[in-house]
Amino acid sequence: MGKLTTHVLDTARGKPAQGVKISLYRIDEEGLHPVTTSITNNDGRTDTPLIEEGYLISGQYQLVFATASYFQHTNAQLDAIPFLDEIVIRFGVSDHNQHYHVPLLVSPYGYSTYRGS
């Protein structure tokens, strides 16, 4: 059965990003529906999957990573109004039996993501 996981890597420091708040929403025709909120551990991962094995359903999802507050906590040099505040990644799950892994590689001025395994 499928599940959803993530991790966050701080590419400016070359380390896992510990303490990033992550909010997950399911999206349907009525809007956003909160699923869970988690904080990354010292490995940049959540302690448990965002959606446990067997509970993933097909559809649209949105991850919100609170990166500005993370970088402020690490004393990174940020403008008074950070370039990146929250990073939103919308993605689709077509096969609920697969493992979907959505990593975030982030610095104060850029990010990338991909479907991992």
Side-chain angles (χ1 to χ4, degrees), residues 25-41:
Y25 301 87
R26 180 149 165 66
I27 306 169
D28 65 17
E29 59 280 346
E30 296 175 12
L32 297 174
H33 304 279
V35 175
T36 191
T37 299
S38 189
I39 305 288
T40 57
N41 60 25

Side-chain angles (χ1 to χ4, degrees), residues 63-86:
L63 280 167
V64 180
F65 297 86
T67 56
S69 59
Y70 161 76
F71 283 115
Q72 289 165 344
H73 182 73
T74 65
N75 296 319
Q77 295 284 4
L78 298 178
D79 294 331
I81 300 173
F83 180 69
L84 296 172
D85 183 9
E86 292 184 332

